Amino acid sequence: MHILSLVLLVASVLKVSSAAISCNATNPCPIDTPCCDQYGLCGVGSFCLAGCNPLWSYNMSACMPQPICKNSNTSFTKTNQFLSEDDYYGDASQSDWTYQGTILEYDDSIILAMTESASSTVVSSTRFIWYGHIDARIKSSHLAGVVTAFILFSNVQDEVDYENVGVDLYKWQTNYYYQGILNWTHSKNITTTDSTFDNYHVLGIDWTEDRLQWIVNGEVGRTLYKNETWNATSQSYYYPQTPSRIQISLWAGGASKDIGTVDWAGGAIDWSAPDLTDPGYYYAFIDSANITCYDPPSGTKQSGTNAYIYTGTTGNQSDVEITDDKTWIGSTNATGFNPQNSGNTSNITLTKSSDGSTPTGLGTGGHADGDDGEADSNNDGTTYTYTGSGFIQFASSTSSAFNVSNLASVRVDASNLFNVISLAAVVIATMVLM
Ligand SMILES: *[C@@H]1O[C@H](CO)[C@@H](O)[C@H](O)[C@H]1NC(C)=O
Ligand SMILES: *[C@@H]1O[C@H](CO)[C@@H](O)[C@H](O)[C@H]1NC(C)=O
Ligand SMILES: *[C@@H]1O[C@H](CO)[C@@H](O)[C@H](O)[C@H]1NC(C)=O
Ligand SMILES: *[C@@H]1O[C@H](CO)[C@@H](O)[C@H](O)[C@H]1NC(C)=O
Ligand SMILES: *[C@@H]1O[C@H](CO)[C@@H](O)[C@H](O)[C@H]1NC(C)=O
Ligand SMILES: *[C@@H]1O[C@H](CO)[C@@H](O)[C@H](O)[C@H]1NC(C)=O
Ligand SMILES: *[C@@H]1O[C@H](CO)[C@@H](O)[C@H](O)[C@H]1NC(C)=O
Ligand SMILES: *[C@@H]1O[C@H](CO)[C@@H](O)[C@H](O)[C@H]1NC(C)=O
Ligand SMILES: *[C@@H]1O[C@H](CO)[C@@H](O)[C@H](O)[C@H]1NC(C)=O
Ligand SMILES: *[C@@H]1O[C@H](CO)[C@@H](O)[C@H](O)[C@H]1NC(C)=O
Ligand SMILES: *[C@@H]1O[C@H](CO)[C@@H](O)[C@H](O)[C@H]1NC(C)=O
Ligand SMILES: *[C@@H]1O[C@H](CO)[C@@H](O)[C@H](O)[C@H]1NC(C)=O
């Protein structure tokens, strides 16, 4: 499963104000909302931070530079070790981690919580890693439809995954993606000897420019060599190779109305399971995360030590440079063109955009639900359509009702690269989650 679209859409909703413009490889963002975020929406402010895709934005300089890797060993014990993503504007010196959703303190560790009304929680590193070793000590949640994930995700949508589906507590599923291309066939399971719910496992990712290893409790469970990923047609390695941040999440795969996604997640989620009474939510534990940075690839252009930027349009590692650029914005309407960060780096004072609209909570109001074929239920002029990149996107049209048959036909028209049904299924699942 490509978890990104499922996990993080809830989060994206928080920062979308009104009718947003969609973006993709062939339709980059317009100049006044130049940043294409990871969900394929154009915007300013937080749209230009982590997840901003330089290949789909107005141009290469719309997205803010990303905070560089730094070695750290973090024992998670207090919720104040995490900054709300809503209060984070790119200054990694403020916090190593952010959160969206519900986090709680328990027994010298941190709980990621999930209820029906708050159906995903994700914590993210503020810093990016461009090759390195990450160990995260995690206890999964459990039961049908409940997914616990630990991933690396880059701005050009390279992805490395660990996922547990709560119906099988003796497996971590591993997967990887290159530039958001949805090829589902690369999944492999690592079997554990003890329960992922009852016991902590140290999930390790050892990532170099030549190979990726998934390591559970110190034992290598999977190795992927870059040379195995060569695509002769496109003359590229389909290998995760760009600076990525760490994300650990709990989400409701089984809340989908789509049978494929529900099946993958182990069945429909039960919102009246005993956990929902005591303690009142589904839960996963994170205990610690340690990061060791490796050197950038030899030959990398390096004019500083603070940030990663993209300097070319291929989105592969040869287009990444290390600079001294600032990574933070000084206003919610700033962009890479005018980051408004010429003052102090230590204390960011945010200026609300003039219409006060960014970021506001579409998430709490109505939404173009999609699950029941409803279009534009909050009358904000925004409906959804699917445009073929694997991500739900906004369209400014108010006329085209979102429904399953539209979706399927869009999918068929857009591409025959992938299994139409399963991909459409994921999209529907995403809509339901929102
Ligand atoms: C991107 O566009 C902005 C705004 O027009 C401009 O200031 C900047 O120089 C451009 N950057 C590149 C790399 O073309
Ligand atoms: C993290 O801990 C390891 C031992 O587990 C140690 O080798 C490493 O130096 C520590 N890193 C930092 C940044 O403290
Ligand atoms: C992180 O490093 C510390 C030592 O600094 C160690 O106690 C802890 O177990 C490590 N955590 C993981 C997940 O490896
Ligand atoms: C991995 O395990 C899951 C859950 O047990 C199973 O449904 C899936 O088919 C397995 N995947 C592979 C690639 O073996
Ligand atoms: C890939 O590289 C590894 C390590 O260098 C090597 O053992 C393997 O034979 C290579 N595989 C291919 C398909 O070239
Ligand atoms: C290789 O790239 C081509 C062109 O981009 C694409 O059509 C094809 O599906 C890719 N093959 C694999 C194995 O990913
Ligand atoms: C980088 O991308 C370009 C264009 O897609 C491609 O020609 C080149 O082979 C890629 N390099 C690597 C190392 O994948
Ligand atoms: C930065 O903050 C310090 C302390 O508040 C202040 O003295 C200084 O003038 C500020 N510098 C700028 C450029 O705003
Ligand atoms: C930044 O804010 C903190 C906490 O409010 C304060 O202690 C510190 O002096 C401020 N630094 C600057 C440079 O203004
Ligand atoms: C952001 O809004 C402020 C206050 O309304 C304004 O002064 C500033 O020019 C705006 N910046 C951009 C990049 O639009
Ligand atoms: C990009 O978006 C446009 C407009 O939404 C759509 O027509 C086009 O098919 C999309 N292209 C890709 C490659 O997804
Ligand atoms: C997906 O990847 C597999 C193995 O790398 C390849 O054989 C297959 O052609 C790819 N599928 C598509 C649709 O590109």
Side-chain angles (χ1 to χ4, degrees):
M1 186 59 54
H2 182 66
I3 75 148
L4 194 270
S5 53
L6 291 159
V7 174
L8 297 175
L9 263 153
V10 173
S12 83
V13 160
L14 295 173
K15 64 179 184 179
V16 176
S17 52
S18 58
I21 297 169
S22 66
C23 42
N24 59 31
T26 50
N27 277 56
C29 291
I31 191 164
D32 55 336
T33 51
C35 298
C36 185
D37 81 350
Q38 67 197 69
Y39 314 102
L41 303 178
C42 299
V44 298
S46 55
F47 285 74
C48 305
L49 300 173
C52 181
N53 190 333
L55 306 181
W56 300 356
S57 293
Y58 177 74
N59 67 19
M60 231 20 106
S61 36
C63 300
M64 289 299 293
Q66 297 304 313
I68 200 171
C69 189
K70 194 175 158 197
N71 292 339
S72 63
N73 291 338
T74 308
S75 176
F76 296 120
T77 56
K78 299 283 176 211
T79 53
N80 68 11
Q81 291 172 286
F82 301 82
L83 197 59
S84 165
E85 187 97 355
D86 293 342
D87 298 330
Y88 176 67
Y89 286 86
D91 182 359
S93 72
Q94 288 191 318
S95 181
D96 286 338
W97 297 88
T98 61
Y99 77 95
Q100 291 159 301
T102 310
I103 55 173
L104 303 160
E105 291 168 13
Y106 185 81
D107 205 10
D108 282 335
S109 58
I110 291 293
I111 284 176
L112 309 186
M114 177 171 81
T115 62
E116 186 168 12
S117 59
S119 63
S120 108
T121 289
V122 56
V123 299
S124 305
S125 67
T126 55
R127 293 183 174 279
F128 283 57
I129 293 165
W130 197 24
Y131 302 123
H133 187 100
I134 307 104
D135 281 325
R137 196 159 176 264
I138 293 174
K139 254 195 244 181
S140 77
S141 192
H142 67 163
L143 302 179
V146 182
V147 183
T148 309
F150 161 44
I151 73 169
L152 304 183
F153 189 72
S154 89
N155 283 5
V156 298
Q157 306 187 348
D158 289 341
E159 183 175 330
V160 179
D161 293 351
Y162 273 105
E163 291 168 281
N164 171 269
V165 296
V167 79
D168 187 346
L169 300 177
Y170 290 82
K171 279 195 192 77
W172 284 101
Q173 302 190 17
T174 66
N175 213 340
Y176 71 95
Y177 298 90
Y178 167 76
Q179 293 193 9
I181 296 171
L182 294 175
N183 186 326
W184 314 108
T185 68
H186 301 144
S187 179
K188 284 198 175 147
N189 289 334
I190 297 178
T191 302
T192 61
T193 53
D194 57 358
S195 159
T196 59
F197 176 70
D198 293 325
N199 306 96
Y200 277 110
H201 289 91
V202 175
L203 304 182
I205 295 174
D206 195 75
W207 182 36
T208 72
E209 63 175 309
D210 299 321
R211 61 130 182 75
L212 250 172
Q213 287 186 321
W214 287 260
I215 304 164
V216 177
N217 286 345
E219 215 173 285
V220 177
R222 178 179 186 181
T223 302
L224 172 76
Y225 290 99
K226 182 175 186 176
N227 62 5
E228 296 171 47
T229 68
W230 178 249
N231 182 321
T233 312
S234 62
Q235 291 284 300
S236 301
Y237 292 100
Y238 278 24
Y239 181 78
Q241 55 187 274
T242 48
S244 298
R245 62 175 178 162
I246 302 165
Q247 302 193 297
I248 305 171
S249 61
L250 181 62
W251 58 281
S256 168
K257 286 180 186 172
D258 165 67
I259 193 74
T261 302
V262 174
D263 275 357
W264 172 79
I269 199 162
D270 178 4
W271 292 120
S272 58
D275 283 1
L276 278 299
T277 311
D278 178 17
Y281 42 81
Y282 284 112
Y283 53 93
F285 289 94
I286 55 173
D287 170 72
S288 60
N290 295 352
I291 300 166
T292 304
C293 312
Y294 293 161
D295 288 340
S298 62
T300 298
K301 266 201 214 150
Q302 204 161 348
S303 60
T305 55
N306 192 55
Y308 302 116
I309 63 167
Y310 288 88
T311 55
T313 54
T314 70
N316 60 30
Q317 71 170 24
S318 54
D319 283 341
V320 178
E321 218 174 293
I322 297 175
T323 71
D324 272 336
D325 291 331
K326 288 177 186 168
T327 59
W328 54 278
I329 50 175
S331 157
T332 52
N333 66 342
T335 71
F337 304 152
N338 177 15
Q340 303 177 10
N341 63 4
S342 54
N344 274 310
T345 56
S346 44
N347 288 322
I348 296 173
T349 308
L350 289 169
T351 319
K352 287 280 178 199
S353 56
S354 47
D355 65 357
S357 64
T358 313
T360 65
L362 245 195
T364 54
H367 222 254
D369 308 323
D371 53 342
D372 53 7
E374 198 178 350
D376 196 20
S377 58
N378 61 342
N379 294 312
D380 69 347
T382 305
T383 57
Y384 298 93
T385 187
Y386 178 70
T387 58
S389 70
F391 297 89
I392 283 288
Q393 308 192 10
F394 280 87
S396 45
S397 155
T398 52
S399 56
S400 67
F402 180 95
N403 63 41
V404 173
S405 57
N406 277 2
L407 183 70
S409 61
V410 168
R411 184 60 226 163
V412 173
D413 291 346
S415 160
N416 53 17
L417 272 183
F418 308 110
N419 178 317
V420 170
I421 292 166
S422 73
L423 194 51
V426 171
V427 173
I428 295 162
T430 307
M431 302 309 299
V432 173
L433 279 175
M434 293 175 76

